[in-house]
Amino acid sequence: MDGYLETLKKIISEKESIIGRKLTCQVTTFGCQMNARDSEKLLGVLSEAGFIETNSDDADFIIYNTCTIRDNANQRVYGRLGALKPYKKKNPSMKIALCGCMMQEETVVEKIKNSYGFVDLIFGTHNLFDFPRLLVEMYERDKYTEIWDDTDIIKEDLPVKRKYPFKSGINIMFGCNNFCTYCIVPYVRGRERSRKPEEIIEEIESLVKDGVVEIMLLGQNVNSYGNNLENPISFAKLLTMVEKIDGLKRIRFMTSHPKDLSDELIDVMASSKKICSHIHLPLQSGSTKILKAMNRRYNKESYLELVRKIREKMPDISITTDIIVGFPGETREEVLDTIDVIKKAEFDNAFTFIYSIRTGTPAAKMEQVDPEIVKEHFDMVLSVVQETAKKRTERFLGRTVKVLCEEANESDDTFIDGRMSSNTVVHLKGSKDLIGKIVDVKLTEFHGFYYTGELV
Ligand code: SAH
Ligand code: SF4
Ligand code: F3S
């Protein structure tokens, strides 16, 4: 990798001397926390190579790190891409690159080549670790595409430029083996593979030395972490190792598949001082019949039992979830099952999505529900979600809680936005010096899904 990074630096500095200024770059992220973490690597390489970051569309290099979880993610990329065409016309030396999950789909790459011929570099999720070389190829050959089908390579040695100095995501595993029938992720992110615990601990230790106080362990299903390692280890064990790292104050993780959430994990969470009081536990559907068709491998009762077990040990924990409405064959009765679970589980928040057909997945071939009916069902679910989430999250009002201050409020910079252990957002009056610090805040007003509070 180093060799290519050096070559890249030379290419960029030659360009700088021709145009008489530093080159600018824009990295735009679509999709989940994994993509956000990948983008920090893209920006790390670009910064090291000499680029200056910008938000502007007239940058010298633009890369979109794409997502294809639902069709609207793809449409946003095409929309943004179309808007870049005039900039490229004005500045022909501008370079445009696409990477990430969407690029792992053959039909997408074909469409880009046919309709967006001005894109200069295309690569996928499996060869992101090779970004310096891919950039060199692009500059040397003008246009370059390289997509790998899958990989078992785990290489995490790219320079990283973090969005926040005080918190960071960290990959503990890649890919997914679950093949939920609606989901494209196993096809675009490949088979599940875990990083060795020693490497994870080492990376977190160096992050902490660099000022990080909160980390988020990332994987499509962290509960199956370690299964395929030479020396298998459970996710709960990994957490106990992470807990011991001095200077680290908060631990989060995403995502937990309900079928693999162990009693050991519940016990480790309940006795931890650092693991945040929050678990994201995607339900997807409350109907046992739909869950079966989704290949989720749990049912309505076992999900509710799991929630009961978690709350028994951690009564105050925040549980959030994802819900899909409009999965093939879903009837009103099954939607009512989902609503029943929402009411009983009392989620702190639920991200509700309309089912989106993903070509190549088993559900794409199943009988689809009329979009009008789906919209009706979606509105029904959403109103229950909003009502129950509000009721549940209100329990914090009047309490004094620990808040990690994250950034100045966008519309009023005399306020700081931070997060409670439960992941609930808090706005508090205070100066930018607070950013990165964990402070005690009294929650004085509840606004439906976030709080305002005062420093105590
Ligand atoms: N690995 C995580 C989910 C990653 S995708 C897990 O298993 O929980 C994030 C969310 O997107 C999923 O939880 C699901 O609710 C939603 N999603 C995935 N595929 C979808 C599709 N085809 N249509 C609508 N929503 C989808
Ligand atoms: Fe997709 Fe299911 Fe894997 Fe999550 S667990 S990424 S929903 S296939
Ligand atoms: Fe999207 Fe890929 Fe994440 S499809 S949700 S960016 S794993």
Side-chain angles (χ1 to χ4, degrees):
M1 194 270 301
D2 285 352
Y4 285 106
L5 196 51
E6 289 312 311
T7 315
L8 181 64
K9 280 186 194 167
K10 270 192 216 124
I11 295 173
I12 303 307
S13 83
E14 274 163 29
K15 291 192 182 295
E16 275 172 15
S17 52
I18 295 168
I19 59 173
R21 59 164 175 84
K22 287 271 193 193
L23 269 68
T24 56
C25 71
Q26 181 206 113
V27 179
T28 297
T29 312
F30 300 83
C32 65
Q33 307 273 356
M34 305 243 173
N35 259 21
R37 180 64 179 160
D38 285 346
S39 288
E40 294 186 337
K41 297 175 190 165
L42 300 174
L43 194 58
V45 169
L46 292 165
S47 307
E48 192 97 356
F51 283 92
I52 306 286
E53 192 190 358
T54 171
N55 290 328
S56 155
D57 274 355
D58 62 6
D60 298 295
F61 178 78
I62 293 191
I63 183 160
Y64 290 167
N65 188 8
T66 63
C67 169
T68 185
I69 197 79
R70 288 169 288 274
D71 189 53
N72 54 9
N74 299 45
Q75 295 315 320
R76 279 169 55 218
V77 170
Y78 292 128
R80 290 280 299 258
L81 211 48
L84 286 185
K85 206 174 173 179
Y87 291 95
K88 176 99 181 183
K89 249 198 178 140
K90 227 168 49 197
N91 172 13
S93 68
M94 171 184 188
K95 293 283 182 191
I96 298 173
L98 296 172
C99 69
C101 295
M102 218 176 131
M103 300 306 124
Q104 292 295 138
E105 292 178 281
E106 261 170 56
T107 48
V108 168
V109 176
E110 244 166 69
K111 178 168 171 169
I112 305 266
K113 291 202 162 157
N114 293 334
S115 313
Y116 303 86
F118 55 89
V119 172
D120 302 287
L121 170 66
I122 304 176
F123 60 97
T125 56
H126 302 303
N127 53 348
L128 186 130
F129 72 89
D130 235 356
F131 186 43
R133 178 175 68 78
L134 296 164
L135 282 170
V136 170
E137 304 274 15
M138 175 193 74
Y139 280 115
E140 285 179 350
R141 307 177 193 216
D142 200 35
K143 292 219 180 302
Y144 190 65
T145 299
E146 186 179 312
I147 315 279
W148 297 8
D149 281 346
D150 200 350
T151 185
D152 47 19
I153 297 178
I154 298 185
K155 226 169 141 197
E156 289 276 284
D157 60 354
L158 292 180
V160 174
K161 193 161 177 206
R162 289 198 308 276
K163 188 169 172 207
Y164 299 96
F166 53 86
K167 70 168 185 177
S168 179
I170 170 165
N171 296 309
I172 62 165
M173 59 206 296
F174 302 90
C176 181
N177 286 352
N178 288 310
F179 291 95
C180 303
T181 54
Y182 50 81
C183 182
I184 193 94
V185 170
Y187 305 88
V188 297
R189 287 268 173 180
R191 292 297 61 72
E192 182 182 298
R193 50 215 183 271
S194 297
R195 289 178 73 193
K196 292 198 185 103
E198 314 82 85
E199 279 171 29
I200 296 169
I201 299 295
E202 205 177 295
E203 187 176 341
I204 300 174
E205 282 171 346
S206 82
L207 286 166
V208 170
K209 273 200 196 104
D210 199 35
V212 166
V213 293
E214 177 181 298
I215 51 143
M216 183 179 287
L217 307 174
L218 299 172
Q220 293 300 346
N221 175 16
V222 290
N223 296 329
S224 67
Y225 169 79
N227 288 348
N228 57 0
L229 283 172
E230 215 175 298
N231 300 312
I233 142 171
S234 68
F235 178 56
K237 286 262 154 34
L238 178 72
L239 281 174
T240 57
M241 290 165 73
V242 176
E243 172 103 15
K244 291 195 188 110
I245 298 176
D246 272 344
L248 181 66
K249 302 215 168 88
R250 279 183 169 186
I251 305 168
R252 297 187 186 277
F253 52 85
M254 263 201 37
T255 297
S256 283
H257 194 309
K259 79 176 165 62
D260 296 316
L261 197 143
S262 65
D263 292 349
E264 187 195 10
L265 176 63
I266 298 176
D267 289 339
V268 165
M269 286 185 80
S271 61
S272 165
K273 298 210 161 48
K274 295 185 180 175
I275 300 172
C276 287
S277 176
H278 171 222
I279 188 157
H280 188 64
L281 196 63
L283 166 69
Q284 313 302 2
S285 165
S287 147
T288 294
K289 189 180 134 218
I290 295 294
L291 285 169
K292 191 151 197 279
M294 286 177 161
N295 190 30
R296 288 292 286 180
R297 289 173 274 173
Y298 54 86
N299 58 39
K300 180 178 179 181
E301 287 69 34
S302 64
Y303 186 92
L304 284 170
E305 172 57 18
L306 187 58
V307 168
R308 190 198 59 76
K309 271 203 294 190
I310 296 172
R311 290 244 165 84
E312 189 179 57
K313 296 271 167 77
M314 295 169 279
D316 201 35
I317 195 169
S318 291
I319 304 180
T320 57
T321 202
D322 293 342
I323 291 164
I324 298 177
V325 178
F327 182 85
E330 188 180 52
T331 62
R332 182 163 298 239
E333 206 185 326
E334 286 145 8
V335 174
L336 291 176
D337 265 329
T338 299
I339 289 178
D340 189 38
V341 176
I342 296 169
K343 287 185 175 159
K344 290 183 172 139
E346 297 182 61
F347 297 114
D348 271 69
N349 201 0
F351 301 94
T352 311
F353 307 109
I354 288 184
Y355 168 75
S356 171
I357 298 185
R358 306 323 284 139
T359 312
T361 62
K365 295 190 205 86
M366 299 177 189
E367 189 162 336
Q368 306 294 320
V369 185
D370 177 342
E372 295 263 316
I373 294 177
V374 176
K375 179 76 182 70
E376 248 177 61
H377 290 170
F378 179 80
D379 291 343
M380 278 162 57
V381 171
L382 194 66
S383 75
V384 178
V385 159
Q386 284 169 340
E387 201 185 308
T388 50
K390 194 172 158 187
K391 239 199 271 163
R392 168 83 184 151
T393 312
E394 201 170 11
R395 71 188 178 285
F396 296 112
L397 189 63
R399 287 198 215 170
T400 297
V401 297
K402 299 251 180 252
V403 172
L404 171 59
C405 300
E406 299 197 333
E407 56 208 340
N409 185 274
E410 245 182 37
S411 46
D412 180 351
D413 70 0
T414 63
F415 276 85
I416 299 291
D417 296 348
R419 277 177 197 274
M420 294 158 49
S421 175
S422 66
N423 211 31
T424 314
V425 171
V426 178
H427 296 188
L428 59 126
K429 192 102 185 152
S431 76
K432 292 198 181 84
D433 303 342
L434 291 175
I435 293 173
K437 298 201 173 98
I438 296 176
V439 292
D440 287 316
V441 177
K442 183 164 169 109
L443 302 173
T444 50
E445 269 175 64
F446 180 57
H447 305 272
F449 59 96
Y450 73 94
Y451 280 95
T452 28
E454 287 159 7
L455 271 177
V456 293

